[in-house]
Each structure stands twice: as C-alpha cells, then as structure tokens.
Amino acid sequence: MNKAEKVNYIIDELEKLYPVVEVPLDHKDPYTLLVAVLLSAQCTDKRVNQITPLLFERADNPFDMVKLSVEEIKEIIRPCGLSPMKSKGIYGLSHILIDKYNGEVPKDMGALEELPAVGHKTASVVMAQAFNIPAFPVDTHIHRLLTRWGITNGKSVVQTEKDAKRLFPKELWNKLHVQIIYYGREYSPARNPKLSKDFITKNCASKKVLKTYADYEA
C-alpha cells in the first residue's frame, strides 16, 4: 500500500473498532482535564484516574487549588511520579489562570504552552478534547504506531505530528488520536506485540518492521 492507501485503511479500520471514543482520563471540565493530562506524563491513565478523585475532592478548580500548598498537592499526587515538578506546575498554573484568565482555561495553544509544566502534547490534548479545536496530540504510543505503520519516519514526535497532520483529514484529528491510543493498548503494545493480533501493522508495515515481531512468518 502507498501512504494514501494506508491512511484510508487505518481510518476505516479504527472507525470499525472504535466508532465512539472518550478521553481515557476522567475529567469534568477543561481545568480538570488539564490537570489530569499534566499528571499523565510518564504515568498510566489508570493510575491518574485513581489519584485525580483524591485531588479533585480537595480542589477541582484553580481557586481551591491555590488554597493548598505545593507540599499538600505533592503528597496527593505522589503515586503518579514526578510529583515535585507536577505539584509546582499545578499550583503555578492555577495562580496564572486566576490572575490572567479569571480562573478559566484559555482556548489558545500558545497561552496553554506558557503555563508551568504544560508542554505541547498536553496543550494539544486540551485544545482537542476540552474545546474541540483540531489538534493531533502525539504521545509515545501514537509515535510508535505511526512509525510502525510507515506513516512517519519515526525520527521525532515533532516530525510524527507534522506527518499525521499532513496525511490525515483535519476533521478527524481529534477522534483519531484517541482511536490510535485505544488500538495500541489493545492490539499493538510497546512490549511483546503479536503480529497475529496486530492486524493494522501486519497490513501496513515494511518487512523490516514486521521482522521485529517474534511471531513473524515470511
């Protein structure tokens, strides 16, 4: 398949598998989504969803969050890892949201990326899932899969995002990035993937990639 054929095949298969998708991080509004995505860095969504109820019971908005100390936030979110950096980020961005945006999360990529501990991927998720503004967040899972499928050369997540945006229709970006995450978890994990199960890779990948699978048969 050429790239155009791969793109159409991937879209069709993911739509069959996951016609309805929800963000795997529990949240109720843009602020709680922003905090949850920040916490998900180098942490599983499952673990984040176990911790955010404890945090949001104390503070589910920036006004209540700044009433907590950084140490209090850090103690609650410790199981998510990187708690010193994340707690400072949550506390700091909450202050900025109050001071600059009346406590609201801005609908602007640049403004989001200026917030403490908020990188491009986190900002992209918030733009896509909180505000339904087209974005294509690329995490390590999406980077891995689009590389396996020959959609990108895999040199960097920056290049992967550019290639994804160039090849996939803009109106599908927000849904597609979640569908790819779902597929990766179910069919194409990072460790010990099985080609017999990973049918999109089986049909899209180069022979060089296919040979990395333990159950590859020429």
Side-chain angles (χ1 to χ4, degrees):
M1 285 190 282
N2 60 36
K3 279 194 178 179
E5 291 170 332
K6 286 182 183 181
V7 164
N8 290 330
Y9 172 73
I10 291 166
I11 291 171
D12 289 345
E13 294 302 316
L14 292 177
E15 189 62 27
K16 291 175 190 175
L17 287 172
Y18 313 110
V20 178
V21 294
E22 294 182 357
V23 182
L25 292 168
D26 296 337
H27 66 285
K28 66 175 185 176
D29 57 21
Y31 178 76
T32 52
L33 177 61
L34 174 61
V35 172
V37 179
L38 188 158
L39 290 174
S40 71
Q42 298 185 37
C43 181
T44 65
D45 292 345
K46 181 179 180 180
R47 175 63 60 85
V48 173
N49 288 338
Q50 293 171 342
I51 299 304
T52 48
L54 305 176
L55 179 63
F56 295 153
E57 184 179 10
R58 297 283 303 277
D60 62 357
N61 61 80
F63 297 96
D64 288 334
M65 193 66 74
V66 298
K67 294 176 183 176
L68 301 177
S69 67
V70 172
E71 282 298 319
E72 287 175 307
I73 298 171
K74 184 170 72 172
E75 195 58 36
I76 296 170
I77 68 171
R78 190 182 300 277
C80 291
L82 304 177
S83 58
M85 179 271 290
K86 291 177 180 178
S87 57
K88 290 177 182 177
I90 292 169
Y91 185 82
L93 70 83
S94 297
H95 262 294
I96 292 172
L97 294 181
I98 293 170
D99 295 341
K100 293 185 66 174
Y101 304 105
N102 298 314
E104 300 292 327
V105 177
K107 297 181 183 181
D108 179 82
M109 179 70 79
L112 288 169
E113 290 181 324
E114 289 178 355
L115 296 173
V118 176
H120 181 70
K121 192 219 73 172
T122 297
S124 296
V125 173
V126 173
M127 292 293 285
Q129 304 304 335
F131 302 125
N132 199 32
I133 296 172
F136 206 112
V138 174
D139 61 8
T140 55
H141 305 293
I142 290 178
H143 177 62
R144 179 181 74 251
L145 289 174
L146 293 186
T147 301
R148 283 179 178 174
W149 297 343
I151 298 300
T152 185
N153 60 24
K155 289 184 178 179
S156 69
V157 293
V158 174
Q159 186 61 49
T160 298
E161 182 180 339
K162 288 180 180 178
D163 291 337
K165 286 182 173 180
R166 176 173 54 86
L167 292 168
F168 291 107
K170 190 173 184 177
E171 64 272 16
L172 299 181
W173 292 354
N174 292 356
K175 184 178 185 180
L176 194 61
H177 95 268
V178 181
Q179 290 174 319
I180 295 171
I181 291 171
Y182 280 18
Y183 181 88
R185 290 177 179 175
E186 188 171 356
Y187 295 96
S188 189
R191 297 181 180 179
N192 302 317
K194 301 297 182 184
L195 196 60
S196 55
K197 185 178 182 181
D198 186 359
F199 63 93
I200 292 182
T201 297
K202 187 174 183 179
N203 288 314
C204 290
S206 66
K207 285 187 177 180
K208 182 178 180 181
V209 171
L210 295 177
K211 288 179 180 178
T212 64
Y213 282 71
D215 58 343
Y216 170 71
E217 294 181 5

mmCIF file of all heavy atoms in Angstrom, residues 56-92:
data_model
loop_
_atom_site.group_PDB
_atom_site.id
_atom_site.type_symbol
_atom_site.label_atom_id
_atom_site.label_comp_id
_atom_site.label_asym_id
_atom_site.label_seq_id
_atom_site.Cartn_x
_atom_site.Cartn_y
_atom_site.Cartn_z
ATOM 1 N N PHE A 56 -9.178 16.121 43.290
ATOM 2 C CA PHE A 56 -10.311 16.977 42.942
ATOM 3 C C PHE A 56 -11.351 17.057 44.059
ATOM 4 O O PHE A 56 -12.168 17.977 44.094
ATOM 5 C CB PHE A 56 -10.964 16.488 41.656
ATOM 6 C CG PHE A 56 -10.068 16.599 40.446
ATOM 7 C CD1 PHE A 56 -10.227 15.745 39.360
ATOM 8 C CD2 PHE A 56 -9.052 17.553 40.386
ATOM 9 C CE1 PHE A 56 -9.405 15.845 38.249
ATOM 10 C CE2 PHE A 56 -8.216 17.660 39.287
ATOM 11 C CZ PHE A 56 -8.400 16.799 38.215
ATOM 12 N N GLU A 57 -11.303 16.104 44.985
ATOM 13 C CA GLU A 57 -12.166 16.215 46.172
ATOM 14 C C GLU A 57 -11.734 17.410 47.017
ATOM 15 O O GLU A 57 -12.563 18.090 47.624
ATOM 16 C CB GLU A 57 -12.080 14.926 46.998
ATOM 17 C CG GLU A 57 -13.013 14.912 48.204
ATOM 18 C CD GLU A 57 -12.932 13.618 48.985
ATOM 19 O OE1 GLU A 57 -12.021 12.812 48.704
ATOM 20 O OE2 GLU A 57 -13.766 13.422 49.885
ATOM 21 N N ARG A 58 -10.441 17.686 47.006
ATOM 22 C CA ARG A 58 -9.908 18.832 47.739
ATOM 23 C C ARG A 58 -9.996 20.115 46.902
ATOM 24 O O ARG A 58 -10.280 21.199 47.430
ATOM 25 C CB ARG A 58 -8.437 18.577 48.106
ATOM 26 C CG ARG A 58 -8.200 17.398 49.030
ATOM 27 C CD ARG A 58 -8.540 17.714 50.480
ATOM 28 N NE ARG A 58 -7.801 18.859 50.975
ATOM 29 C CZ ARG A 58 -6.549 18.798 51.453
ATOM 30 N NH1 ARG A 58 -5.904 17.635 51.485
ATOM 31 N NH2 ARG A 58 -5.962 19.877 51.927
ATOM 32 N N ALA A 59 -9.728 19.963 45.582
ATOM 33 C CA ALA A 59 -9.671 21.151 44.729
ATOM 34 C C ALA A 59 -9.888 20.748 43.277
ATOM 35 O O ALA A 59 -9.021 20.108 42.681
ATOM 36 C CB ALA A 59 -8.321 21.842 44.881
ATOM 37 N N ASP A 60 -11.038 21.113 42.718
ATOM 38 C CA ASP A 60 -11.308 20.801 41.317
ATOM 39 C C ASP A 60 -11.425 22.069 40.471
ATOM 40 O O ASP A 60 -11.989 22.066 39.384
ATOM 41 C CB ASP A 60 -12.587 19.963 41.182
ATOM 42 C CG ASP A 60 -13.827 20.678 41.680
ATOM 43 O OD1 ASP A 60 -13.712 21.823 42.187
ATOM 44 O OD2 ASP A 60 -14.924 20.094 41.571
ATOM 45 N N ASN A 61 -10.852 23.150 40.980
ATOM 46 C CA ASN A 61 -10.827 24.419 40.254
ATOM 47 C C ASN A 61 -9.609 25.200 40.742
ATOM 48 O O ASN A 61 -9.087 24.931 41.836
ATOM 49 C CB ASN A 61 -12.127 25.203 40.479
ATOM 50 C CG ASN A 61 -12.337 25.554 41.939
ATOM 51 O OD1 ASN A 61 -11.755 26.516 42.442
ATOM 52 N ND2 ASN A 61 -13.159 24.768 42.643
ATOM 53 N N PRO A 62 -9.131 26.159 39.972
ATOM 54 C CA PRO A 62 -7.897 26.858 40.357
ATOM 55 C C PRO A 62 -8.010 27.641 41.658
ATOM 56 O O PRO A 62 -7.036 27.763 42.397
ATOM 57 C CB PRO A 62 -7.615 27.781 39.173
ATOM 58 C CG PRO A 62 -8.878 27.867 38.413
ATOM 59 C CD PRO A 62 -9.594 26.577 38.629
ATOM 60 N N PHE A 63 -9.190 28.149 41.966
ATOM 61 C CA PHE A 63 -9.367 28.945 43.181
ATOM 62 C C PHE A 63 -9.171 28.099 44.443
ATOM 63 O O PHE A 63 -8.565 28.552 45.421
ATOM 64 C CB PHE A 63 -10.756 29.592 43.192
ATOM 65 C CG PHE A 63 -10.977 30.554 42.060
ATOM 66 C CD1 PHE A 63 -11.623 30.147 40.904
ATOM 67 C CD2 PHE A 63 -10.516 31.858 42.140
ATOM 68 C CE1 PHE A 63 -11.816 31.030 39.847
ATOM 69 C CE2 PHE A 63 -10.700 32.753 41.101
ATOM 70 C CZ PHE A 63 -11.348 32.336 39.935
ATOM 71 N N ASP A 64 -9.681 26.860 44.400
ATOM 72 C CA ASP A 64 -9.459 25.970 45.542
ATOM 73 C C ASP A 64 -8.058 25.379 45.527
ATOM 74 O O ASP A 64 -7.471 25.116 46.586
ATOM 75 C CB ASP A 64 -10.491 24.836 45.533
ATOM 76 C CG ASP A 64 -11.881 25.315 45.918
ATOM 77 O OD1 ASP A 64 -11.978 26.336 46.637
ATOM 78 O OD2 ASP A 64 -12.874 24.683 45.503
ATOM 79 N N MET A 65 -7.506 25.180 44.324
ATOM 80 C CA MET A 65 -6.182 24.559 44.239
ATOM 81 C C MET A 65 -5.120 25.446 44.892
ATOM 82 O O MET A 65 -4.205 24.932 45.558
ATOM 83 C CB MET A 65 -5.811 24.292 42.772
ATOM 84 C CG MET A 65 -4.608 23.380 42.588
ATOM 85 S SD MET A 65 -4.884 21.673 43.166
ATOM 86 C CE MET A 65 -5.956 21.039 41.856
ATOM 87 N N VAL A 66 -5.207 26.753 44.711
ATOM 88 C CA VAL A 66 -4.177 27.627 45.279
ATOM 89 C C VAL A 66 -4.302 27.758 46.798
ATOM 90 O O VAL A 66 -3.410 28.307 47.445
ATOM 91 C CB VAL A 66 -4.189 29.027 44.624
ATOM 92 C CG1 VAL A 66 -3.875 28.930 43.150
ATOM 93 C CG2 VAL A 66 -5.514 29.749 44.872
ATOM 94 N N LYS A 67 -5.415 27.249 47.350
ATOM 95 C CA LYS A 67 -5.546 27.225 48.807
ATOM 96 C C LYS A 67 -4.720 26.095 49.413
ATOM 97 O O LYS A 67 -4.426 26.106 50.613
ATOM 98 C CB LYS A 67 -7.015 27.068 49.203
ATOM 99 C CG LYS A 67 -7.895 28.255 48.816
ATOM 100 C CD LYS A 67 -9.351 27.984 49.163
ATOM 101 C CE LYS A 67 -10.253 29.133 48.707
ATOM 102 N NZ LYS A 67 -11.688 28.841 48.962
ATOM 103 N N LEU A 68 -4.359 25.116 48.566
ATOM 104 C CA LEU A 68 -3.478 24.050 49.012
ATOM 105 C C LEU A 68 -2.027 24.496 48.842
ATOM 106 O O LEU A 68 -1.725 25.343 48.006
ATOM 107 C CB LEU A 68 -3.701 22.778 48.187
ATOM 108 C CG LEU A 68 -5.097 22.173 48.186
ATOM 109 C CD1 LEU A 68 -5.139 20.963 47.251
ATOM 110 C CD2 LEU A 68 -5.527 21.765 49.583
ATOM 111 N N SER A 69 -1.148 23.921 49.608
ATOM 112 C CA SER A 69 0.271 24.199 49.422
ATOM 113 C C SER A 69 0.831 23.249 48.363
ATOM 114 O O SER A 69 0.222 22.212 48.055
ATOM 115 C CB SER A 69 1.032 24.012 50.731
ATOM 116 O OG SER A 69 1.038 22.642 51.112
ATOM 117 N N VAL A 70 1.997 23.588 47.830
ATOM 118 C CA VAL A 70 2.659 22.697 46.885
ATOM 119 C C VAL A 70 2.921 21.347 47.536
ATOM 120 O O VAL A 70 2.754 20.288 46.909
ATOM 121 C CB VAL A 70 3.981 23.321 46.384
ATOM 122 C CG1 VAL A 70 4.771 22.311 45.551
ATOM 123 C CG2 VAL A 70 3.702 24.572 45.562
ATOM 124 N N GLU A 71 3.283 21.367 48.815
ATOM 125 C CA GLU A 71 3.563 20.120 49.539
ATOM 126 C C GLU A 71 2.312 19.258 49.662
ATOM 127 O O GLU A 71 2.387 18.026 49.532
ATOM 128 C CB GLU A 71 4.123 20.426 50.926
ATOM 129 C CG GLU A 71 5.587 20.810 50.932
ATOM 130 C CD GLU A 71 6.479 19.696 50.410
ATOM 131 O OE1 GLU A 71 6.234 18.520 50.759
ATOM 132 O OE2 GLU A 71 7.403 19.992 49.640
ATOM 133 N N GLU A 72 1.181 19.884 49.899
ATOM 134 C CA GLU A 72 -0.076 19.131 50.010
ATOM 135 C C GLU A 72 -0.434 18.490 48.673
ATOM 136 O O GLU A 72 -0.861 17.331 48.611
ATOM 137 C CB GLU A 72 -1.208 20.042 50.480
ATOM 138 C CG GLU A 72 -1.124 20.430 51.950
ATOM 139 C CD GLU A 72 -2.198 21.421 52.351
ATOM 140 O OE1 GLU A 72 -2.323 22.486 51.686
ATOM 141 O OE2 GLU A 72 -2.927 21.142 53.331
ATOM 142 N N ILE A 73 -0.284 19.254 47.599
ATOM 143 C CA ILE A 73 -0.558 18.709 46.267
ATOM 144 C C ILE A 73 0.401 17.564 45.965
ATOM 145 O O ILE A 73 0.000 16.496 45.479
ATOM 146 C CB ILE A 73 -0.426 19.808 45.195
ATOM 147 C CG1 ILE A 73 -1.454 20.915 45.430
ATOM 148 C CG2 ILE A 73 -0.593 19.215 43.796
ATOM 149 C CD1 ILE A 73 -1.260 22.148 44.557
ATOM 150 N N LYS A 74 1.661 17.770 46.286
ATOM 151 C CA LYS A 74 2.677 16.753 46.017
ATOM 152 C C LYS A 74 2.384 15.443 46.731
ATOM 153 O O LYS A 74 2.559 14.353 46.168
ATOM 154 C CB LYS A 74 4.058 17.270 46.424
ATOM 155 C CG LYS A 74 5.199 16.305 46.097
ATOM 156 C CD LYS A 74 6.556 16.944 46.278
ATOM 157 C CE LYS A 74 6.875 17.144 47.739
ATOM 158 N NZ LYS A 74 8.289 17.602 47.936
ATOM 159 N N GLU A 75 1.924 15.538 47.956
ATOM 160 C CA GLU A 75 1.629 14.337 48.733
ATOM 161 C C GLU A 75 0.473 13.547 48.112
ATOM 162 O O GLU A 75 0.497 12.314 48.072
ATOM 163 C CB GLU A 75 1.280 14.721 50.178
ATOM 164 C CG GLU A 75 1.316 13.561 51.146
ATOM 165 C CD GLU A 75 2.662 12.858 51.198
ATOM 166 O OE1 GLU A 75 3.707 13.519 51.086
ATOM 167 O OE2 GLU A 75 2.658 11.614 51.331
ATOM 168 N N ILE A 76 -0.521 14.249 47.597
ATOM 169 C CA ILE A 76 -1.682 13.584 46.996
ATOM 170 C C ILE A 76 -1.302 12.905 45.684
ATOM 171 O O ILE A 76 -1.702 11.773 45.414
ATOM 172 C CB ILE A 76 -2.831 14.591 46.750
ATOM 173 C CG1 ILE A 76 -3.345 15.146 48.086
ATOM 174 C CG2 ILE A 76 -3.970 13.928 45.974
ATOM 175 C CD1 ILE A 76 -4.309 16.311 47.933
ATOM 176 N N ILE A 77 -0.498 13.581 44.871
ATOM 177 C CA ILE A 77 -0.218 13.080 43.521
ATOM 178 C C ILE A 77 1.050 12.231 43.449
ATOM 179 O O ILE A 77 1.428 11.779 42.373
ATOM 180 C CB ILE A 77 -0.108 14.243 42.504
ATOM 181 C CG1 ILE A 77 1.147 15.094 42.773
ATOM 182 C CG2 ILE A 77 -1.361 15.104 42.531
ATOM 183 C CD1 ILE A 77 1.440 16.118 41.680
ATOM 184 N N ARG A 78 1.685 11.994 44.572
ATOM 185 C CA ARG A 78 2.963 11.262 44.595
ATOM 186 C C ARG A 78 2.938 9.958 43.793
ATOM 187 O O ARG A 78 3.900 9.642 43.077
ATOM 188 C CB ARG A 78 3.368 10.974 46.044
ATOM 189 C CG ARG A 78 4.794 10.436 46.181
ATOM 190 C CD ARG A 78 5.111 10.140 47.635
ATOM 191 N NE ARG A 78 5.002 11.339 48.461
ATOM 192 C CZ ARG A 78 5.954 12.252 48.589
ATOM 193 N NH1 ARG A 78 7.092 12.107 47.925
ATOM 194 N NH2 ARG A 78 5.776 13.295 49.365
ATOM 195 N N PRO A 79 1.847 9.155 43.859
ATOM 196 C CA PRO A 79 1.848 7.883 43.107
ATOM 197 C C PRO A 79 1.933 8.058 41.594
ATOM 198 O O PRO A 79 2.233 7.092 40.885
ATOM 199 C CB PRO A 79 0.505 7.250 43.505
ATOM 200 C CG PRO A 79 0.178 7.844 44.838
ATOM 201 C CD PRO A 79 0.657 9.253 44.744
ATOM 202 N N CYS A 80 1.697 9.258 41.080
ATOM 203 C CA CYS A 80 1.778 9.493 39.634
ATOM 204 C C CYS A 80 3.209 9.711 39.154
ATOM 205 O O CYS A 80 3.450 9.762 37.942
ATOM 206 C CB CYS A 80 0.930 10.709 39.247
ATOM 207 S SG CYS A 80 -0.841 10.446 39.395
ATOM 208 N N GLY A 81 4.144 9.863 40.082
ATOM 209 C CA GLY A 81 5.521 10.099 39.692
ATOM 210 C C GLY A 81 5.783 11.551 39.347
ATOM 211 O O GLY A 81 4.857 12.316 39.051
ATOM 212 N N LEU A 82 7.050 11.937 39.400
ATOM 213 C CA LEU A 82 7.470 13.313 39.098
ATOM 214 C C LEU A 82 6.682 14.333 39.919
ATOM 215 O O LEU A 82 6.422 15.451 39.461
ATOM 216 C CB LEU A 82 7.290 13.619 37.599
ATOM 217 C CG LEU A 82 7.996 12.681 36.623
ATOM 218 C CD1 LEU A 82 7.664 13.062 35.183
ATOM 219 C CD2 LEU A 82 9.499 12.704 36.831
ATOM 220 N N SER A 83 6.331 13.968 41.133
ATOM 221 C CA SER A 83 5.436 14.817 41.939
ATOM 222 C C SER A 83 6.024 16.182 42.294
ATOM 223 O O SER A 83 5.259 17.160 42.360
ATOM 224 C CB SER A 83 4.997 14.085 43.207
ATOM 225 O OG SER A 83 6.104 13.697 43.993
ATOM 226 N N PRO A 84 7.337 16.340 42.488
ATOM 227 C CA PRO A 84 7.844 17.689 42.773
ATOM 228 C C PRO A 84 7.572 18.664 41.625
ATOM 229 O O PRO A 84 7.113 19.790 41.838
ATOM 230 C CB PRO A 84 9.342 17.473 42.988
ATOM 231 C CG PRO A 84 9.457 16.056 43.440
ATOM 232 C CD PRO A 84 8.405 15.324 42.660
ATOM 233 N N MET A 85 7.843 18.230 40.396
ATOM 234 C CA MET A 85 7.628 19.084 39.234
ATOM 235 C C MET A 85 6.133 19.283 38.964
ATOM 236 O O MET A 85 5.672 20.397 38.697
ATOM 237 C CB MET A 85 8.312 18.471 38.009
ATOM 238 C CG MET A 85 8.138 19.270 36.715
ATOM 239 S SD MET A 85 6.639 18.811 35.779
ATOM 240 C CE MET A 85 7.097 17.180 35.203
ATOM 241 N N LYS A 86 5.376 18.203 39.043
ATOM 242 C CA LYS A 86 3.949 18.291 38.728
ATOM 243 C C LYS A 86 3.186 19.131 39.746
ATOM 244 O O LYS A 86 2.276 19.884 39.387
ATOM 245 C CB LYS A 86 3.354 16.882 38.640
ATOM 246 C CG LYS A 86 3.841 16.084 37.443
ATOM 247 C CD LYS A 86 3.277 14.666 37.439
ATOM 248 C CE LYS A 86 3.761 13.860 36.256
ATOM 249 N NZ LYS A 86 3.258 12.463 36.256
ATOM 250 N N SER A 87 3.538 19.006 41.018
ATOM 251 C CA SER A 87 2.832 19.776 42.046
ATOM 252 C C SER A 87 3.105 21.271 41.898
ATOM 253 O O SER A 87 2.183 22.100 42.004
ATOM 254 C CB SER A 87 3.233 19.302 43.446
ATOM 255 O OG SER A 87 4.639 19.398 43.634
ATOM 256 N N LYS A 88 4.344 21.613 41.595
ATOM 257 C CA LYS A 88 4.674 23.026 41.347
ATOM 258 C C LYS A 88 3.945 23.536 40.108
ATOM 259 O O LYS A 88 3.471 24.674 40.075
ATOM 260 C CB LYS A 88 6.184 23.198 41.183
ATOM 261 C CG LYS A 88 6.973 22.998 42.455
ATOM 262 C CD LYS A 88 8.477 23.121 42.191
ATOM 263 C CE LYS A 88 9.277 22.870 43.459
ATOM 264 N NZ LYS A 88 10.752 22.915 43.194
ATOM 265 N N GLY A 89 3.860 22.681 39.088
ATOM 266 C CA GLY A 89 3.166 23.072 37.872
ATOM 267 C C GLY A 89 1.691 23.320 38.107
ATOM 268 O O GLY A 89 1.141 24.338 37.655
ATOM 269 N N ILE A 90 1.029 22.411 38.803
ATOM 270 C CA ILE A 90 -0.402 22.554 39.074
ATOM 271 C C ILE A 90 -0.671 23.805 39.901
ATOM 272 O O ILE A 90 -1.606 24.573 39.610
ATOM 273 C CB ILE A 90 -0.931 21.294 39.787
ATOM 274 C CG1 ILE A 90 -0.890 20.089 38.836
ATOM 275 C CG2 ILE A 90 -2.362 21.521 40.296
ATOM 276 C CD1 ILE A 90 -1.142 18.762 39.517
ATOM 277 N N TYR A 91 0.137 24.015 40.916
ATOM 278 C CA TYR A 91 -0.032 25.196 41.768
ATOM 279 C C TYR A 91 0.234 26.470 40.968
ATOM 280 O O TYR A 91 -0.554 27.436 41.015
ATOM 281 C CB TYR A 91 0.921 25.114 42.957
ATOM 282 C CG TYR A 91 0.759 26.230 43.967
ATOM 283 C CD1 TYR A 91 -0.233 26.165 44.938
ATOM 284 C CD2 TYR A 91 1.602 27.344 43.947
ATOM 285 C CE1 TYR A 91 -0.385 27.186 45.876
ATOM 286 C CE2 TYR A 91 1.454 28.362 44.870
ATOM 287 C CZ TYR A 91 0.464 28.280 45.824
ATOM 288 O OH TYR A 91 0.304 29.302 46.742
ATOM 289 N N GLY A 92 1.301 26.471 40.205
ATOM 290 C CA GLY A 92 1.670 27.664 39.446
ATOM 291 C C GLY A 92 0.677 27.997 38.350
ATOM 292 O O GLY A 92 0.283 29.164 38.183
#
